Amino acid sequence: MIIVMNTRASEAQIDRVQKKLEEWGFGTHYSQGVERTIIGVIGPKKPGIMEFIEAMEGVDKVVPILQPFKLASREFQSKTSQVNVGNLVFGGTKVVIIAGPCAVENEAQMMETAMMVKKAGASMLRGGAFKPRTSPYAFQGLEEEGLKILDNVRKEVGIPFVTEVVNPRDVDLVARYADMFQIGARNMQNFTLLKEVGKTKKPVILKRGLSATIEEWLMAAEYILSEGNFQVVLCERGIRTYETSTRNTLDLSAIPSIHRLSHLPVLADPSHGTGKRHLVAPLSKAAVAAGADGLLIEVHPDPESALSDGPQSLNFDAFEALLTEMMPIATAVGREI
Amino acid sequence: MIIVMNTRASEAQIDRVQKKLEEWGFGTHYSQGVERTIIGVIGPKKPGIMEFIEAMEGVDKVVPILQPFKLASREFQSKTSQVNVGNLVFGGTKVVIIAGPCAVENEAQMMETAMMVKKAGASMLRGGAFKPRTSPYAFQGLEEEGLKILDNVRKEVGIPFVTEVVNPRDVDLVARYADMFQIGARNMQNFTLLKEVGKTKKPVILKRGLSATIEEWLMAAEYILSEGNFQVVLCERGIRTYETSTRNTLDLSAIPSIHRLSHLPVLADPSHGTGKRHLVAPLSKAAVAAGADGLLIEVHPDPESALSDGPQSLNFDAFEALLTEMMPIATAVGREI
Amino acid sequence: MIIVMNTRASEAQIDRVQKKLEEWGFGTHYSQGVERTIIGVIGPKKPGIMEFIEAMEGVDKVVPILQPFKLASREFQSKTSQVNVGNLVFGGTKVVIIAGPCAVENEAQMMETAMMVKKAGASMLRGGAFKPRTSPYAFQGLEEEGLKILDNVRKEVGIPFVTEVVNPRDVDLVARYADMFQIGARNMQNFTLLKEVGKTKKPVILKRGLSATIEEWLMAAEYILSEGNFQVVLCERGIRTYETSTRNTLDLSAIPSIHRLSHLPVLADPSHGTGKRHLVAPLSKAAVAAGADGLLIEVHPDPESALSDGPQSLNFDAFEALLTEMMPIATAVGREI
Amino acid sequence: MIIVMNTRASEAQIDRVQKKLEEWGFGTHYSQGVERTIIGVIGPKKPGIMEFIEAMEGVDKVVPILQPFKLASREFQSKTSQVNVGNLVFGGTKVVIIAGPCAVENEAQMMETAMMVKKAGASMLRGGAFKPRTSPYAFQGLEEEGLKILDNVRKEVGIPFVTEVVNPRDVDLVARYADMFQIGARNMQNFTLLKEVGKTKKPVILKRGLSATIEEWLMAAEYILSEGNFQVVLCERGIRTYETSTRNTLDLSAIPSIHRLSHLPVLADPSHGTGKRHLVAPLSKAAVAAGADGLLIEVHPDPESALSDGPQSLNFDAFEALLTEMMPIATAVGREI
């Protein structure tokens, strides 16, 4: 942490800052420039200190030097984490394809989808039993009934599934059924939920919040990691910008950025990230080319009658064609599908 | 809802859309323009329908006509709602001033603050017992201990208090102590929490999410209203933009916009909205001039040693001066403080 | 400027940075922390240096200490600048009201408007002769014909006018007629235009760019100042955000922020800032309460038939009522209208 | 265009809207719903009409049906345009690689760069002679001297070049030297410049503005097309968002979106789009996978001593490796490099 004093800071103000820092056990050293005094602060970061100092008189700004996330950082662990769900590995050579409908509607739909996506090459099924919806009047999901359907489908088809958890109270319930948790964008800073999921040992996909910075996203991961659950996979799903022609703006630079800052694997969700079916294939390819460790793709046997998010779902043929088209791209970046 | 077909939509595609609409019980009427067909859809809005149609072949776009929020809308209730907390009225002539520290730290701090802000003219005390913090390593609040402190202070000083609830599990606990709930920006779309709070009869301040549109914000209020709790007060607290010189961008146009769209009272929080102490006074005045029904202002006996959010807290003298300076502005817009 | 080295930066990398800095004539001093080396750089800022260093191996980040704007800064001149247009003073006690239509349409319209707004209390007329329009098919302004109309109206009514200049080639032409230049949001970083206007001695209103930070805005002002023209008045007119219910998001915190960072006067334009007629009055009041040195308000004798920007124009009655309502607010903040 | 009336619009208000539309020669037809009246408007779009109507009393909103751009639209021309610069084709099978430094510094630098990038597989050289810089104190380019250097290098090395034009006055000058104009992000809505470039017959790269929607970007292209110059190539270069870890957010979904809406070829600029050297390679690959018709990549013989934008430039080895790595990706999407 570096403290930049005002050009007009008085001696007394500078002394007061120094005294506070010493009270807190920090080392300091001064640099008297032509125009202003700068104070370097030495010692382990403590939460809230920076804001205290910034509020003191004579202080112009406080500049953090260290990243606020620790367990999630590449400096903490230089090797990319491998997160295992059964035999499936996130963060390995294989680009993991997770596919399925936005919401679980009924067993027939899920069974058909599961068989199809598995055949086409997907490794994991997705489907929401609990749906966070903007409107209280929209379909909110089948809840435990949906989890049971997913469980039956898994047994029948032999494919693991990931499903969203939205309520801290449901963490145990979802954990009994699911192979992997998903924490959605709207809950990225639902810290109660993050902690509950952190107390389990089950792998979790943590989606980026709609307006979360990369730093805030890694801090959210840190909540899970700091509770002892290191099985965290991140997922870029588009951020909110002024552009309205797509539902969100898929920030693909987040993928190599995360790889540089953190050891956690990172997926992309081009279905939610764009909200438009015709953009799913080009953005899926782009995500793999940018180094994504996997993809979440919405697939629906009949997208035109889906109960939610129809406009961004692929049908089976389009999904199968996409996987085939992505193979050489995966190869080109040293991966496989 | 109006459906705009593609310039190259086939007869068959148009028929298919019409058939679907009829299946769902909608009336339709066609308008064949020079360049394209437009289908008007008549009947009550059903959730998800719009997305289904948008996914059909030949459809260019679907245009919603009605606002998705109902109970929160000014069309549902033309008179501004008055939300009562004891004798205190939100949405009346008086601009309600809520003041206090960001977090409850100890009883002495709260007692001193409560006495002072009451004396200066505040009608309600604020203070967080549960703090949603970006970092798991930051101070998370005193929890029930903090609620007890607030309770003692209320008894002693005679001022009601509002405090944040972050976990659906804690709704009953917080309800036992607090005069009013606060739902923070990060939880604006924590639908589980909204529903739980909606099931109580206790008044609630619903802060705008960091990147929530006004429509999404009113839909979040709709979650609470639709559970039967009509005691909802909104609070603008700044949105996330590209500008970094302030912590958020306080969107004061939201205040008259909400007044036009909704009957719910709306407050402003210039402390969180700007994140800078020297901006609190001018933006407080601006909010009152723009028609805010109240203000949330961070006040701290010693802002430089506050455990969180110090840089945006006013000290007692500055708070007292601000209330005095705002009086003629309130008068100018037909209100009082 | 402070240079933060990587935790794994080698001795050789640190030496290389130091050598470069010495080559450029900077003093340096080192601080070897537990985790990383930090280099303080002493000496006058030179453009581009920061980026050079950031690109060197072993460097984690470079932190600027000084603001990049000089002549525009409050540190350069602690007293607020007063910009004079005839007897009119921007930056004095009086809140300057500038009113008129978006575009000059014909002499009758301007004459009527000028008489009315002068009578109501406006000190300056606005009206565009050159209109930057998103579509090449939209009305582009009357050009020199429009300037002549404004000139006649000024002579007849006795009110100075400000008008936009969009082309560096037209600076002399506009200067011959106008009392004050306006540089619009889209041209805030049209550096050629800024320099041309800087070479004149005529006062100029510089609007904030649609997505300009406060720092970039002050840097744009610096272009004009550095050419020798110190008659610069800034104008906040709304920034682009994700919110679509208003045309832009009027950032009123920019007003006190500019007052703190710079000595230049700053206006607000609630008409363009909101794009909605019913928001103009509350946001005008809010801007005055926040300390604006003046307002740009669109007024049109018949807003419903205006050739551009009709939806945000006030008619005469609404404008007159607004000025009356703002007077006590101006008084409350130590100003007059 | 569809006009949605207020729920409480009076008969008289509805009649007034209808009368206005008839005055302007539009056909109308009414749809009286349960809750409100909707008016469909039939006839060719005229600029400004929508805004007029929106300002009328009783009108809730006006919904545009047709896209505002015409000559740029895929509906106007269904086949992708091919823009030729000598033998070079934008919009054909080949992904066009344009490389070079941000600014022309001296002849030796450009000669070395040109030879190297040509050898590695680039088809066109880039280099700025006129530089739009945020600070008036930053290096502004060598101007005509820079154009002469580029001219010499072209003769010597045999590679065409593109260079930025920032001043309408310089269009003829730049046209005498350059093979292709570039209009930068800051000038995307410098309509004077767009028209001047539209009057030439020289191909032009039009970069997306920092906060331009896709629609505004296509409208800017429309300015050039409507003057008779159809040789327009678009370039996505990152948009401004709240995220600060990258300089801009490269919006790769813009590439397939543009391909759907428009017949104009579209490039990506991952150097400016990210501002970070380590992100250039992954985002270049992603852009090609997403269907980009070409790439603009900053290459510098010695990025660490570049006069501007050093942190995002590749050195020769990195550039050569990147082209090799992209080949199989281009092949995978039916292109070549």
PDB file of all heavy atoms in Angstrom, chain A residues 4 14 56 67 100 107 116 181 194 197 211 219 243 254 262 266 313:
ATOM      1  N   VAL A   4      -0.388   8.520  -1.007  1.00  0.00           N
ATOM      2  CA  VAL A   4       0.031   9.751  -1.662  1.00  0.00           C
ATOM      3  C   VAL A   4      -0.612  10.912  -0.914  1.00  0.00           C
ATOM      4  O   VAL A   4      -1.830  11.013  -0.838  1.00  0.00           O
ATOM      5  CB  VAL A   4      -0.426   9.760  -3.131  1.00  0.00           C
ATOM      6  CG1 VAL A   4       0.041  11.038  -3.823  1.00  0.00           C
ATOM      7  CG2 VAL A   4       0.074   8.524  -3.854  1.00  0.00           C
ATOM      8  N   ILE A  14       0.781  14.653   8.031  1.00  0.00           N
ATOM      9  CA  ILE A  14       1.667  13.545   7.686  1.00  0.00           C
ATOM     10  C   ILE A  14       2.022  12.738   8.937  1.00  0.00           C
ATOM     11  O   ILE A  14       1.974  11.499   8.933  1.00  0.00           O
ATOM     12  CB  ILE A  14       2.944  14.078   6.973  1.00  0.00           C
ATOM     13  CG1 ILE A  14       2.534  14.711   5.623  1.00  0.00           C
ATOM     14  CG2 ILE A  14       3.954  12.962   6.757  1.00  0.00           C
ATOM     15  CD1 ILE A  14       3.650  15.456   4.913  1.00  0.00           C
ATOM     16  N   MET A  56      -8.366  10.067   5.943  1.00  0.00           N
ATOM     17  CA  MET A  56      -7.641  10.999   6.815  1.00  0.00           C
ATOM     18  C   MET A  56      -7.321  12.292   6.088  1.00  0.00           C
ATOM     19  O   MET A  56      -7.124  12.305   4.873  1.00  0.00           O
ATOM     20  CB  MET A  56      -6.358  10.330   7.342  1.00  0.00           C
ATOM     21  CG  MET A  56      -6.675   9.167   8.281  1.00  0.00           C
ATOM     22  SD  MET A  56      -5.188   8.442   9.003  1.00  0.00           S
ATOM     23  CE  MET A  56      -4.785   9.700  10.230  1.00  0.00           C
ATOM     24  N   GLN A  67      -2.739  -7.783  -4.768  1.00  0.00           N
ATOM     25  CA  GLN A  67      -4.081  -8.202  -5.120  1.00  0.00           C
ATOM     26  C   GLN A  67      -4.824  -8.634  -3.863  1.00  0.00           C
ATOM     27  O   GLN A  67      -4.247  -9.279  -2.989  1.00  0.00           O
ATOM     28  CB  GLN A  67      -4.028  -9.375  -6.089  1.00  0.00           C
ATOM     29  CG  GLN A  67      -3.514  -8.966  -7.454  1.00  0.00           C
ATOM     30  CD  GLN A  67      -2.953 -10.126  -8.211  1.00  0.00           C
ATOM     31  OE1 GLN A  67      -2.586 -11.141  -7.622  1.00  0.00           O
ATOM     32  NE2 GLN A  67      -2.883  -9.985  -9.517  1.00  0.00           N
ATOM     33  N   GLY A 100     -27.365 -28.685 -22.298  1.00  0.00           N
ATOM     34  CA  GLY A 100     -28.704 -29.014 -21.808  1.00  0.00           C
ATOM     35  C   GLY A 100     -29.575 -27.775 -21.850  1.00  0.00           C
ATOM     36  O   GLY A 100     -29.124 -26.696 -22.237  1.00  0.00           O
ATOM     37  N   GLU A 107     -39.396 -35.101 -17.590  1.00  0.00           N
ATOM     38  CA  GLU A 107     -38.393 -36.163 -17.726  1.00  0.00           C
ATOM     39  C   GLU A 107     -38.110 -36.511 -19.181  1.00  0.00           C
ATOM     40  O   GLU A 107     -36.966 -36.758 -19.564  1.00  0.00           O
ATOM     41  CB  GLU A 107     -38.820 -37.399 -16.928  1.00  0.00           C
ATOM     42  CG  GLU A 107     -37.712 -38.445 -16.902  1.00  0.00           C
ATOM     43  CD  GLU A 107     -37.819 -39.394 -15.711  1.00  0.00           C
ATOM     44  OE1 GLU A 107     -38.332 -38.980 -14.645  1.00  0.00           O
ATOM     45  OE2 GLU A 107     -37.394 -40.549 -15.852  1.00  0.00           O
ATOM     46  N   MET A 116     -28.948 -37.328 -26.400  1.00  0.00           N
ATOM     47  CA  MET A 116     -28.448 -36.664 -27.597  1.00  0.00           C
ATOM     48  C   MET A 116     -27.125 -35.945 -27.352  1.00  0.00           C
ATOM     49  O   MET A 116     -26.169 -36.080 -28.102  1.00  0.00           O
ATOM     50  CB  MET A 116     -29.518 -35.668 -28.075  1.00  0.00           C
ATOM     51  CG  MET A 116     -29.136 -34.969 -29.346  1.00  0.00           C
ATOM     52  SD  MET A 116     -28.074 -33.542 -28.957  1.00  0.00           S
ATOM     53  CE  MET A 116     -27.158 -33.341 -30.459  1.00  0.00           C
ATOM     54  N   PHE A 181     -22.355 -28.035  -8.257  1.00  0.00           N
ATOM     55  CA  PHE A 181     -23.197 -26.853  -8.072  1.00  0.00           C
ATOM     56  C   PHE A 181     -22.940 -25.840  -9.180  1.00  0.00           C
ATOM     57  O   PHE A 181     -21.827 -25.723  -9.675  1.00  0.00           O
ATOM     58  CB  PHE A 181     -22.831 -26.116  -6.771  1.00  0.00           C
ATOM     59  CG  PHE A 181     -23.192 -26.799  -5.506  1.00  0.00           C
ATOM     60  CD1 PHE A 181     -22.198 -27.208  -4.624  1.00  0.00           C
ATOM     61  CD2 PHE A 181     -24.520 -27.006  -5.158  1.00  0.00           C
ATOM     62  CE1 PHE A 181     -22.517 -27.810  -3.415  1.00  0.00           C
ATOM     63  CE2 PHE A 181     -24.843 -27.601  -3.939  1.00  0.00           C
ATOM     64  CZ  PHE A 181     -23.841 -28.014  -3.074  1.00  0.00           C
ATOM     65  N   LEU A 194     -22.302 -18.411  -0.993  1.00  0.00           N
ATOM     66  CA  LEU A 194     -20.917 -18.790  -1.285  1.00  0.00           C
ATOM     67  C   LEU A 194     -20.302 -19.555  -0.113  1.00  0.00           C
ATOM     68  O   LEU A 194     -19.631 -20.570  -0.295  1.00  0.00           O
ATOM     69  CB  LEU A 194     -20.073 -17.545  -1.581  1.00  0.00           C
ATOM     70  CG  LEU A 194     -20.458 -16.725  -2.824  1.00  0.00           C
ATOM     71  CD1 LEU A 194     -19.615 -15.448  -2.889  1.00  0.00           C
ATOM     72  CD2 LEU A 194     -20.286 -17.531  -4.097  1.00  0.00           C
ATOM     73  N   VAL A 197     -21.780 -23.118   0.200  1.00  0.00           N
ATOM     74  CA  VAL A 197     -21.225 -24.006  -0.822  1.00  0.00           C
ATOM     75  C   VAL A 197     -19.761 -24.306  -0.498  1.00  0.00           C
ATOM     76  O   VAL A 197     -19.253 -25.402  -0.760  1.00  0.00           O
ATOM     77  CB  VAL A 197     -21.418 -23.361  -2.211  1.00  0.00           C
ATOM     78  CG1 VAL A 197     -20.534 -24.018  -3.257  1.00  0.00           C
ATOM     79  CG2 VAL A 197     -22.894 -23.454  -2.622  1.00  0.00           C
ATOM     80  N   SER A 211     -22.193  -7.380 -13.471  1.00  0.00           N
ATOM     81  CA  SER A 211     -21.353  -6.186 -13.546  1.00  0.00           C
ATOM     82  C   SER A 211     -20.173  -6.337 -12.615  1.00  0.00           C
ATOM     83  O   SER A 211     -19.678  -5.367 -12.050  1.00  0.00           O
ATOM     84  CB  SER A 211     -22.154  -4.931 -13.211  1.00  0.00           C
ATOM     85  OG  SER A 211     -22.664  -5.016 -11.903  1.00  0.00           O
ATOM     86  N   MET A 219     -12.614 -12.530  -5.910  1.00  0.00           N
ATOM     87  CA  MET A 219     -12.905 -12.398  -4.476  1.00  0.00           C
ATOM     88  C   MET A 219     -14.094 -13.272  -4.088  1.00  0.00           C
ATOM     89  O   MET A 219     -14.143 -13.818  -2.986  1.00  0.00           O
ATOM     90  CB  MET A 219     -13.209 -10.950  -4.118  1.00  0.00           C
ATOM     91  CG  MET A 219     -12.014 -10.027  -4.136  1.00  0.00           C
ATOM     92  SD  MET A 219     -10.634 -10.603  -3.136  1.00  0.00           S
ATOM     93  CE  MET A 219     -11.322 -10.316  -1.506  1.00  0.00           C
ATOM     94  N   GLU A 243     -24.371  -1.699 -24.812  1.00  0.00           N
ATOM     95  CA  GLU A 243     -24.793  -2.282 -26.096  1.00  0.00           C
ATOM     96  C   GLU A 243     -26.050  -3.126 -25.899  1.00  0.00           C
ATOM     97  O   GLU A 243     -26.090  -3.997 -25.037  1.00  0.00           O
ATOM     98  CB  GLU A 243     -23.674  -3.145 -26.679  1.00  0.00           C
ATOM     99  CG  GLU A 243     -24.033  -3.910 -27.951  1.00  0.00           C
ATOM    100  CD  GLU A 243     -24.398  -3.009 -29.132  1.00  0.00           C
ATOM    101  OE1 GLU A 243     -23.530  -2.301 -29.630  1.00  0.00           O
ATOM    102  OE2 GLU A 243     -25.595  -3.008 -29.535  1.00  0.00           O
ATOM    103  N   ALA A 254     -11.610 -12.013 -20.653  1.00  0.00           N
ATOM    104  CA  ALA A 254     -11.588 -12.494 -19.268  1.00  0.00           C
ATOM    105  C   ALA A 254     -10.942 -13.876 -19.177  1.00  0.00           C
ATOM    106  O   ALA A 254     -10.357 -14.214 -18.140  1.00  0.00           O
ATOM    107  CB  ALA A 254     -13.007 -12.554 -18.704  1.00  0.00           C
ATOM    108  N   SER A 262      -5.109 -16.285 -12.009  1.00  0.00           N
ATOM    109  CA  SER A 262      -5.605 -17.330 -11.118  1.00  0.00           C
ATOM    110  C   SER A 262      -5.282 -18.716 -11.655  1.00  0.00           C
ATOM    111  O   SER A 262      -5.106 -18.909 -12.861  1.00  0.00           O
ATOM    112  CB  SER A 262      -7.127 -17.171 -10.969  1.00  0.00           C
ATOM    113  OG  SER A 262      -7.661 -18.226 -10.207  1.00  0.00           O
ATOM    114  N   VAL A 266     -11.484 -21.954 -16.203  1.00  0.00           N
ATOM    115  CA  VAL A 266     -12.528 -20.990 -16.558  1.00  0.00           C
ATOM    116  C   VAL A 266     -13.262 -21.424 -17.839  1.00  0.00           C
ATOM    117  O   VAL A 266     -12.641 -21.806 -18.824  1.00  0.00           O
ATOM    118  CB  VAL A 266     -11.955 -19.557 -16.674  1.00  0.00           C
ATOM    119  CG1 VAL A 266     -10.832 -19.439 -17.680  1.00  0.00           C
ATOM    120  CG2 VAL A 266     -13.053 -18.551 -16.974  1.00  0.00           C
ATOM    121  N   SER A 313     -31.187 -21.143 -27.391  1.00  0.00           N
ATOM    122  CA  SER A 313     -30.900 -22.579 -27.393  1.00  0.00           C
ATOM    123  C   SER A 313     -30.625 -23.095 -28.804  1.00  0.00           C
ATOM    124  O   SER A 313     -31.257 -22.679 -29.761  1.00  0.00           O
ATOM    125  CB  SER A 313     -32.097 -23.355 -26.826  1.00  0.00           C
ATOM    126  OG  SER A 313     -32.212 -23.160 -25.445  1.00  0.00           O
TER     127      SER A 313
END
